[in-house]
Amino acid sequence: MELHLCVLGLLFWCLSHWTVATYWPPAPIPKEAPLLSRDVDPETLYPTRNATLKVDNFQNSSMYEPHSNETFQNRYWFDDTKATTFRLPILQKGIIYQLDKQYNGLGVVIEHRYFGRSQPTPDLSVENLRFLTTEQALEDVVNFAKNNVFPGHENDPLTSDKTPWIAYGGSYSGAFTAFMRTLYPGDFWGTISSSGVTEAIYDYWEYYSPVTQYGPQPCIEYQQKLVNMVDNILLDNGTVQELDYCTVDNPMVPQLKGLFGLEGLTCANDFAAQVSWLLGAWQSLNWDPEVNSTQFGEYCSNVSASTLQFDNSDRTESAQQLLTAGGYGDQLDELTTPLLNMAGFINQSQSVDCTSGGQTLDQCWGTHNLTYYQQDDLDQSSWRSWPYMYCTQWGYLQTGSGVPADQLPVISRTVNLNYTSIICRDAFGIDTPPDTDKINQYDGFNISYDRLAILGGEIDPWRPTTPLADSQMPFNPANRPNNTEQPLILISGGAHHWDENGVFPNETTPDLPPAPVAQAQAAEASFVGAWLKEAEPVFGRTFVNSTTA
């Protein structure tokens, strides 16, 4: 699960007499999104508003006992200026801006419960987190769409019974907006699910499958062999089990940690996770230079280099001893330089960057910290809210242990379900698998509905959880049509919801946006226009005319 924004926020926007919504997900834990160089602080343009919502939308469900009759203030923002410059970053350019501009839009952002400052309860204790579920959040959104009155628009028909609402979302938000369409078709006229993770999966080892398949093969092959070398030492050439590999009884382990500059990291599985951590940067690849992360490319370029990239040639003998102990003594000529380059890169990015800031390696990268996990005040929502959701219902624990035995993983097999669920046990007292059936009851891979569009990227690490997964192809036209009512778009070479981003007109080049992205965005504008045209006789108004079509 990406799973790049400040909170699990909803972006609703009204296009004159219709409304578009977008939902943003955490990946895996939401962090505050930095302002880009040309972005104006949204608070200076869009004052914070509050909608009064119910803490408990399901008074008859035993799942939420004891029930609450309280309400809470849920933040939202809206833009009715129809300006074309200096808007919220996602309204400034990209698919939302394009649709907004074409169809004369008004933008609204609403925070997801338990994220940011939209907190239904006084703290984030396990008891109070019982109201943090996707179904509660879905009900929040539909109640907002049905009832909210926008200041300055008290007499405008903007509620969902008077104007068609359309939703756009990527990743978790893509799944969320797909659920909005199938569960509340009378309130959301259409939805666009981009990289929508509609199938909840407990052991999501396949997260790294697209990396292995589409990543630069010299780097991937080195990564597989070197991670396997690490595992052969940590597992003492044994078979991985569902154990906590914090303490490993092998005299080579201190030497192994020392090669990477991570000897100060107490637990062996925390060390192994850091050896693999940079592969997760694949999700942050983007065609848009302003949001693209170069970290994956930098890492692979170093690992694949034919010469040493760091001043660590004095560790050659140690590296070769470790390769021999890890089962690769017959490939010393091939693997010594890649190992030293991998170790040098990780030492610089994980060790030096941590300790130079005055922290210990355990403080930066350790996961075995019960005291930390017991914090439950509202300031902990940035790390506590999304893990509670994946520990209880969504899963997406990204393991190396789940990779089939006949394949070499790119992350350590010590990164198993036991390890990735430490936060579930220590923060929430959850020692059972998440109830993924709560999510998959919404049809998972098979979700479909008229005016529900499914888009995704070919190389997206979350693609295996979407209706565009390889396991779902080729599509059977009898149950998965591809037309204006139910569009299916796989963006060639695309990663995680690449259709969302855009460039300013003066930045457009023959390569920016790439042709597959531009084609996907043009298709979205076309089918949204068709959907709005369908809405005209239902709502008795004109939404598409010669100036907007």
Side-chain angles (χ1 to χ4, degrees), residues 505-528:
N506 64 343
E507 297 174 325
T508 302
T509 71
D511 299 320
L512 290 178
V517 173
Q519 291 163 6
Q521 292 174 336
E524 288 172 280
S526 177
F527 65 66
V528 165

Short mmCIF file of all heavy atoms in Angstrom, two decimals, residues 505-528:
data_model
loop_
_atom_site.label_atom_id
_atom_site.label_comp_id
_atom_site.label_asym_id
_atom_site.label_seq_id
_atom_site.Cartn_x
_atom_site.Cartn_y
_atom_site.Cartn_z
N PRO A 505 1.19 25.41 -19.05
CA PRO A 505 1.22 25.49 -20.52
C PRO A 505 2.59 25.85 -21.08
O PRO A 505 2.99 25.30 -22.11
CB PRO A 505 0.18 26.59 -20.83
CG PRO A 505 -0.78 26.49 -19.69
CD PRO A 505 0.06 26.16 -18.48
N ASN A 506 3.33 26.74 -20.41
CA ASN A 506 4.63 27.13 -20.94
C ASN A 506 5.71 26.08 -20.70
O ASN A 506 6.85 26.23 -21.14
CB ASN A 506 5.08 28.48 -20.35
CG ASN A 506 5.31 28.42 -18.86
OD1 ASN A 506 4.85 27.49 -18.19
ND2 ASN A 506 6.01 29.42 -18.33
N GLU A 507 5.37 25.01 -19.98
CA GLU A 507 6.31 23.92 -19.74
C GLU A 507 6.05 22.72 -20.65
O GLU A 507 6.85 21.78 -20.68
CB GLU A 507 6.21 23.45 -18.28
CG GLU A 507 6.60 24.49 -17.26
CD GLU A 507 6.36 24.00 -15.84
OE1 GLU A 507 5.37 23.26 -15.61
OE2 GLU A 507 7.17 24.34 -14.97
N THR A 508 4.96 22.75 -21.38
CA THR A 508 4.62 21.63 -22.23
C THR A 508 5.65 21.46 -23.34
O THR A 508 6.06 22.43 -23.99
CB THR A 508 3.23 21.82 -22.85
OG1 THR A 508 2.27 21.97 -21.80
CG2 THR A 508 2.84 20.64 -23.71
N THR A 509 6.11 20.23 -23.51
CA THR A 509 7.06 19.90 -24.57
C THR A 509 6.54 18.65 -25.29
O THR A 509 5.54 18.05 -24.87
CB THR A 509 8.46 19.60 -23.99
OG1 THR A 509 8.42 18.33 -23.31
CG2 THR A 509 8.91 20.69 -23.03
N PRO A 510 7.19 18.23 -26.36
CA PRO A 510 6.75 16.99 -27.03
C PRO A 510 6.78 15.78 -26.10
O PRO A 510 6.08 14.79 -26.36
CB PRO A 510 7.75 16.84 -28.18
CG PRO A 510 8.17 18.25 -28.49
CD PRO A 510 8.22 18.94 -27.16
N ASP A 511 7.57 15.86 -25.03
CA ASP A 511 7.68 14.72 -24.12
C ASP A 511 6.99 14.94 -22.78
O ASP A 511 6.93 14.02 -21.96
CB ASP A 511 9.16 14.40 -23.86
CG ASP A 511 9.89 14.03 -25.14
OD1 ASP A 511 9.29 13.30 -25.95
OD2 ASP A 511 11.03 14.48 -25.33
N LEU A 512 6.52 16.15 -22.51
CA LEU A 512 5.87 16.46 -21.24
C LEU A 512 4.51 17.11 -21.51
O LEU A 512 4.46 18.20 -22.09
CB LEU A 512 6.73 17.40 -20.38
CG LEU A 512 8.00 16.84 -19.77
CD1 LEU A 512 8.74 17.92 -18.99
CD2 LEU A 512 7.68 15.67 -18.85
N PRO A 513 3.42 16.49 -21.06
CA PRO A 513 3.39 15.15 -20.47
C PRO A 513 3.66 14.08 -21.51
O PRO A 513 3.44 14.30 -22.71
CB PRO A 513 1.98 15.05 -19.90
CG PRO A 513 1.18 15.97 -20.75
CD PRO A 513 2.08 17.10 -21.12
N PRO A 514 4.11 12.89 -21.09
CA PRO A 514 4.34 11.81 -22.06
C PRO A 514 3.05 11.46 -22.79
O PRO A 514 1.95 11.63 -22.25
CB PRO A 514 4.80 10.64 -21.17
CG PRO A 514 5.23 11.26 -19.88
CD PRO A 514 4.39 12.49 -19.71
N ALA A 515 3.19 10.97 -24.00
CA ALA A 515 2.01 10.68 -24.83
C ALA A 515 1.00 9.77 -24.12
O ALA A 515 -0.21 10.06 -24.17
CB ALA A 515 2.45 10.07 -26.16
N PRO A 516 1.41 8.69 -23.44
CA PRO A 516 0.39 7.85 -22.79
C PRO A 516 -0.40 8.59 -21.72
O PRO A 516 -1.59 8.34 -21.53
CB PRO A 516 1.22 6.71 -22.17
CG PRO A 516 2.46 6.65 -23.01
CD PRO A 516 2.75 8.07 -23.35
N VAL A 517 0.25 9.53 -21.00
CA VAL A 517 -0.44 10.31 -19.98
C VAL A 517 -1.39 11.30 -20.64
O VAL A 517 -2.55 11.44 -20.23
CB VAL A 517 0.57 11.04 -19.08
CG1 VAL A 517 -0.14 11.99 -18.12
CG2 VAL A 517 1.41 10.03 -18.29
N ALA A 518 -0.90 12.01 -21.66
CA ALA A 518 -1.74 12.98 -22.36
C ALA A 518 -2.96 12.29 -22.97
O ALA A 518 -4.08 12.83 -22.94
CB ALA A 518 -0.93 13.68 -23.44
N GLN A 519 -2.77 11.10 -23.51
CA GLN A 519 -3.88 10.37 -24.10
C GLN A 519 -4.90 9.95 -23.04
O GLN A 519 -6.11 10.02 -23.27
CB GLN A 519 -3.34 9.15 -24.85
CG GLN A 519 -2.55 9.50 -26.10
CD GLN A 519 -1.68 8.36 -26.61
OE1 GLN A 519 -1.74 7.24 -26.08
NE2 GLN A 519 -0.89 8.62 -27.62
N ALA A 520 -4.40 9.52 -21.88
CA ALA A 520 -5.30 9.14 -20.79
C ALA A 520 -6.11 10.34 -20.30
O ALA A 520 -7.32 10.24 -20.08
CB ALA A 520 -4.51 8.53 -19.63
N GLN A 521 -5.45 11.49 -20.15
CA GLN A 521 -6.15 12.68 -19.68
C GLN A 521 -7.16 13.16 -20.70
O GLN A 521 -8.26 13.61 -20.34
CB GLN A 521 -5.13 13.77 -19.36
CG GLN A 521 -4.26 13.44 -18.16
CD GLN A 521 -3.16 14.45 -17.91
OE1 GLN A 521 -2.72 15.16 -18.83
NE2 GLN A 521 -2.70 14.54 -16.67
N ALA A 522 -6.83 13.06 -21.99
CA ALA A 522 -7.79 13.44 -23.03
C ALA A 522 -9.01 12.51 -22.99
O ALA A 522 -10.16 12.96 -23.17
CB ALA A 522 -7.12 13.39 -24.40
N ALA A 523 -8.76 11.23 -22.75
CA ALA A 523 -9.87 10.28 -22.66
C ALA A 523 -10.75 10.59 -21.46
O ALA A 523 -11.99 10.52 -21.55
CB ALA A 523 -9.33 8.85 -22.57
N GLU A 524 -10.13 10.97 -20.34
CA GLU A 524 -10.91 11.32 -19.16
C GLU A 524 -11.79 12.53 -19.43
O GLU A 524 -12.97 12.55 -19.04
CB GLU A 524 -9.97 11.59 -17.98
CG GLU A 524 -9.31 10.32 -17.44
CD GLU A 524 -8.23 10.60 -16.42
OE1 GLU A 524 -7.10 10.95 -16.83
OE2 GLU A 524 -8.50 10.48 -15.21
N ALA A 525 -11.23 13.55 -20.05
CA ALA A 525 -12.03 14.73 -20.38
C ALA A 525 -13.20 14.36 -21.29
O ALA A 525 -14.31 14.88 -21.13
CB ALA A 525 -11.15 15.79 -21.05
N SER A 526 -12.96 13.44 -22.21
CA SER A 526 -14.00 13.05 -23.15
C SER A 526 -15.12 12.29 -22.45
O SER A 526 -16.31 12.62 -22.62
CB SER A 526 -13.39 12.19 -24.26
OG SER A 526 -14.39 11.73 -25.14
N PHE A 527 -14.78 11.27 -21.66
CA PHE A 527 -15.88 10.49 -21.06
C PHE A 527 -16.57 11.24 -19.93
O PHE A 527 -17.76 11.04 -19.70
CB PHE A 527 -15.45 9.07 -20.66
CG PHE A 527 -14.42 8.92 -19.57
CD1 PHE A 527 -14.67 9.30 -18.27
CD2 PHE A 527 -13.19 8.33 -19.87
CE1 PHE A 527 -13.72 9.12 -17.26
CE2 PHE A 527 -12.24 8.13 -18.87
CZ PHE A 527 -12.50 8.53 -17.57
N VAL A 528 -15.86 12.15 -19.25
CA VAL A 528 -16.54 12.97 -18.25
C VAL A 528 -17.56 13.88 -18.93
O VAL A 528 -18.68 14.07 -18.45
CB VAL A 528 -15.53 13.78 -17.42
CG1 VAL A 528 -16.24 14.90 -16.64
CG2 VAL A 528 -14.78 12.88 -16.46
#
